[in-house]
Amino acid sequence: MEEKSFERRVKDLEDAFYRLDSESSVPIDIVNEIEELLRISPDNLEVLDIKALMLINSPDSNTKEIVEIYEHMLKIAPPDSIYAKEAREMIKIYKDLDTDNSYISNSSNESFSLMGLVPIRLLVGIKLIIIAIIAVFILNKYYVNKQENNVTEKLNYVATSAVTTNNNISFNDKDFVDLNINKPTNYNFKSKNEIYNIRKSYVSKSKFAKRNYEPNEAVFGSIVDYKPWWGLISCDNPDYHGDYHERIEGPSKVSVQMNNPDALVQVSLPYLIWGTDYNREYCTSEYSKFIPYSLKFSKKYNAYVLKYELTRAFLNYRTNINNKTYRYPLQLSGLNARDFGYNYVYAYNTTNIKMFSYSDFDMTNSIVTFADYVHLGGSCKYKDGCNNISPMQDGLMFRVTELPATISLKLWKNYPSSTNEKPDLYYQIVFDEK
């Protein structure tokens, strides 16, 4: 069995801890896992937070140890994060409690007999405040965690409902509605104003329609008038010596996203593959254009489910990148998400997905900022260049290892305090077998 990653162990620990009954003692296996994870990473805020909450709810809680944990968290946490805020509040409460206890113990018998009643009442009040704050905090985190698990369960049901049924899930298909997938169109040699009008037309019919909508200049402002656009070409000829007009023919690649604003996050192939007899099935297929075939939305769960189809043959294709052989990598594009202000993404759950990152920083272990924008570039090699999407983002690249595969995302407009924070939207991408 493949050993769990540290990040997965932390997520499993959080799931197990917040499922506990508040009146039950913490099982020894969870206690041991907390200590083991802190030995591996003493500065992990998620695990430190869980340890502090565990100690607070312990019948023989050690105030000094609790304060030390929160003081450590305060040193390492971003100043505006929920962890820093929590640590400051809890340190203040415990220090105020110590002050009141000291006042009581140092009072004379005479003053205690009369005035001691005040600090005793104050002490009781502070203890009640502590209990209330802790209860609210734990219940809130428990609620968010439970809600997230519930949404994920529903999304997974929607993702697989076309091929399987699960009688154990109480779920109403009417919670999700089908949204239209618009066909890609040819943008070649249109003015920037014409492209903007096309975009406005599609947005006006989407869930994000609003009065006086204007395309985000940071995303679309670098479009150049009357230039060609990359087409939906899937493969390239390694022996080609022409003018590359084939690369701009037909519907434009960017139009798959711009014509479908509801599909906030979409998928594309970041590398143009050499076409040979080996992968002719892929190069001549419709699925290689990565046009989604289904998009569903639930207002109740504030969630989208976007579906693509891949063949089993796709899983076997390999390509050479930087002198190494890999499965064909795919990349998430948040062009639409960024246009509407959803700048941040985190993949909180994946199935049959392996990241293609050159570093430890990717969407499965960190919050990633979408950077997609449209500009004039020379990658198409056609005269004077083509309008296309940039940049390539290692942290959003991945490979599909088996079908079906899923990527479950959280999207935020503002940078979240942690990956545990409730998102502004849930968004799931599914790869079905064609």
Side-chain angles (χ1 to χ4, degrees):
M1 181 180 292
E2 184 178 353
E3 186 176 349
K4 287 184 183 179
S5 67
F6 180 84
E7 291 77 13
R8 176 55 59 187
R9 287 177 65 181
V10 172
K11 290 178 184 176
D12 289 347
L13 172 64
E14 290 178 320
D15 289 343
F17 182 78
Y18 292 115
R19 280 199 299 266
L20 293 175
D21 188 324
S22 60
E23 297 181 358
S24 302
S25 59
V26 179
I28 189 62
D29 59 327
I30 291 182
V31 175
N32 291 339
E33 180 69 351
I34 291 171
E35 297 303 326
E36 175 64 21
L37 291 175
L38 287 177
R39 278 194 289 271
I40 298 172
S41 179
D43 292 341
N44 187 280
L45 289 167
E46 287 89 347
V47 182
L48 285 168
D49 187 37
I50 290 173
K51 182 173 182 178
L53 291 173
M54 178 186 71
L55 291 174
I56 287 170
N57 285 277
S58 173
D60 54 347
S61 59
N62 185 325
T63 300
K64 182 180 178 182
E65 186 177 3
I66 294 169
V67 171
E68 286 176 350
I69 292 174
Y70 281 121
E71 287 178 339
H72 182 57
M73 289 173 64
L74 191 57
K75 289 179 181 178
I76 62 178
D80 295 330
S81 69
I82 191 172
Y83 293 109
K85 182 179 179 181
E86 176 196 350
R88 283 192 292 269
E89 290 175 349
M90 297 308 292
I91 290 170
K92 183 177 185 303
I93 288 171
Y94 275 103
K95 286 187 175 180
D96 287 346
L97 184 60
D98 284 342
T99 300
D100 290 323
N101 280 330
S102 175
Y103 177 81
I104 294 171
S105 61
N106 293 326
S107 295
S108 66
N109 291 335
E110 181 180 356
S111 62
F112 182 81
S113 62
L114 180 61
M115 301 298 295
L117 293 175
V118 175
I120 289 175
R121 288 173 180 171
L122 180 61
L123 176 59
V124 172
I126 290 174
K127 286 184 175 180
L128 290 174
I129 291 172
I130 292 174
I131 294 171
I133 290 174
I134 292 169
V136 169
F137 181 77
I138 292 175
L139 286 173
N140 181 61
K141 293 189 74 170
Y142 172 78
Y143 172 76
V144 172
N145 185 268
K146 183 177 181 180
Q147 183 187 47
E148 185 172 303
N149 289 338
N150 186 43
V151 170
T152 303
E153 184 179 69
K154 304 306 182 188
L155 294 182
N156 288 338
Y157 179 82
V158 173
T160 59
S161 61
V163 294
T164 187
T165 58
N166 189 337
N167 294 326
N168 294 322
I169 297 178
S170 176
F171 178 60
N172 185 354
D173 286 303
K174 292 181 181 179
D175 288 336
F176 281 80
V177 296
D178 287 300
L179 301 181
N180 189 46
I181 299 291
N182 301 306
K183 293 182 179 179
T185 54
N186 193 320
Y187 286 2
N188 283 339
F189 308 110
K190 296 183 184 297
S191 68
K192 180 179 178 180
N193 187 58
E194 287 178 287
I195 299 298
Y196 270 30
N197 286 336
I198 292 171
R199 175 66 175 177
K200 290 177 186 179
S201 175
Y202 282 112
V203 170
S204 71
K205 302 167 188 174
S206 75
K207 291 287 183 183
F208 298 96
K210 67 176 182 178
R211 189 176 182 182
N212 299 325
Y213 161 79
E214 289 293 333
N216 188 327
E217 283 295 303
V219 179
F220 302 112
S222 297
I223 292 174
V224 178
D225 285 329
Y226 308 114
K227 293 296 183 181
W229 293 67
W230 260 102
L232 284 171
I233 182 172
S234 302
C235 296
D236 203 7
N237 183 347
D239 300 318
Y240 183 75
H241 299 290
D243 64 357
Y244 294 96
H245 68 274
E246 293 89 351
R247 292 187 174 184
I248 69 169
E249 291 180 347
S252 303
K253 187 177 183 66
V254 178
S255 73
V256 177
Q257 296 196 62
M258 291 182 65
N259 292 3
N260 290 285
D262 282 316
L264 292 172
V265 184
Q266 296 189 42
V267 173
S268 64
L269 198 79
Y271 295 95
L272 191 59
I273 303 299
W274 292 125
T276 64
D277 289 338
Y278 157 72
N279 61 356
R280 187 172 303 279
E281 179 269 349
Y282 170 80
C283 295
T284 59
S285 70
E286 281 297 308
Y287 78 81
S288 66
K289 297 175 182 176
F290 289 96
I291 301 172
Y293 79 89
S294 172
L295 177 62
K296 294 178 182 289
F297 171 72
S298 170
K299 184 177 181 179
K300 179 177 180 180
Y301 298 108
N302 198 27
Y304 288 82
V305 178
L306 183 74
K307 292 187 177 185
Y308 293 89
E309 285 185 324
L310 295 176
T311 64
R312 188 152 292 277
F314 177 81
L315 304 177
N316 298 320
Y317 295 135
R318 300 292 187 275
T319 190
N320 187 284
I321 300 173
N322 296 331
N323 298 317
K324 291 185 179 180
T325 301
Y326 298 98
R327 295 176 186 267
Y328 287 0
L330 303 178
Q331 178 174 316
L332 295 189
S333 172
L335 191 77
N336 287 321
R338 193 176 179 218
D339 184 29
F340 300 125
Y342 297 92
N343 296 307
Y344 307 104
V345 61
Y346 170 67
Y348 65 92
N349 190 44
T350 62
T351 304
N352 296 326
I353 296 293
K354 186 171 184 180
M355 294 307 297
F356 183 78
S357 176
Y358 297 117
S359 68
D360 293 331
F361 179 87
D362 64 61
M363 63 180 174
T364 64
N365 57 38
S366 306
I367 297 163
V368 177
T369 304
F370 286 126
D372 306 85
Y373 72 104
V374 182
H375 70 112
L376 185 71
S379 61
C380 68
K381 297 187 179 180
Y382 189 74
K383 181 182 178 181
D384 298 328
C386 303
N387 286 307
N388 57 248
I389 297 179
S390 286
M392 295 174 69
Q393 290 188 261
D394 290 348
L396 297 176
M397 288 188 196
F398 61 94
R399 289 162 283 169
V400 178
T401 60
E402 186 54 84
L403 295 173
T406 61
I407 304 174
S408 299
L409 305 172
K410 292 181 176 183
L411 301 181
W412 294 274
K413 287 190 172 184
N414 298 312
Y415 195 86
S417 58
S418 77
T419 57
N420 293 320
E421 186 172 317
K422 183 181 178 181
D424 295 310
L425 283 175
Y426 290 98
Y427 195 95
Q428 187 176 73
I429 296 174
V430 181
F431 299 94
D432 283 333
E433 183 174 353
K434 185 176 175 65

